[in-house]
Amino acid sequence: MKYGCCTSISNYDLLEQIGFDFIELSGRAVTSMSEKEFDKVIDKVSNGHLFCNGFNDYCPPDIAIVGPDYDPVKAEKYAQLICKRGSKLNISTIGIGAPLSRRLPEGFDKATADGQAIEFLAITADIAKQYNITILFEALNNEVCNYVTLMPEAVDIVQKINKENVKIVADFYHMQMMNEDVTDIAYAIPYITHLHIAQDIDGNRGYLREKYYDQYKSAIAAAMKEGYDSTLSIEALWGDVAKEGKQSLDILKRIEKELNL
């Protein structure tokens, strides 16, 4: 298993010192950079020991995935930009969570939203394929958005698209927030290409905590039991990267060592 952290490029050297394998950057941050700023990111990754596995935080709110503001032309234009920049960092995946782009107004037709999501992901995937990038759809908890909040819903969308480079990032944090059984994951494994993990800390998405060790172990064990052995990122939006990032990585490595015994 390879372990990474979702954070800004400013923490690249720190992640390297801690012992992470890769960094996962914000797609929204990368696409908002000037060419000069982005060139510095390319230089940092090219000359460092950590690879950039992919992007999370796909897009700004004005790029609607579903809803009354959905615009396939804007979706395609944005996909061209993010995939082109991603290719320059040699990324392999782009996660599409983007909760602010998936909030439906009350009464919005579910079938219409499904059609929009399928079209959005298909457009994005076709562009990503040109750069050998896989698109990862993600179920999000209902505290942050109200469209596709359960893993089976995400699997259903991906199955309907039926494209080789449209898969899923399974986020244990969102699953737990939705009271889903994180050990019941076998049905989704054929579509899961990446994992995210975090801990709810008083309503904030934080780094891992020792007292929840057994919960993390159960979730990871379920994935490994089904043959998963790829990448896992800590996606914390709050906390001390230097201290808590290291503690989180230590927890994950101990879990893997125990499971491999």
Side-chain angles (χ1 to χ4, degrees), residues 27 34 153 175 177 179 185 204 209 215 223 227 259:
S34 66
E153 295 176 313
M175 292 181 71
M177 291 292 285
N179 295 314
I185 203 171
N204 295 301
R209 295 290 189 269
Q215 293 181 22
L259 293 176

Side-chain angles (χ1 to χ4, degrees), residues 15 39 58 86 100 132 145 159 175 177 189 218 223 229 252:
L15 295 192
D39 284 342
Y58 180 71
L100 297 180
N132 296 314
C145 85
Q159 287 177 330
M175 292 181 71
M177 291 292 285
I189 282 291
S218 294
D229 186 24
L252 293 174

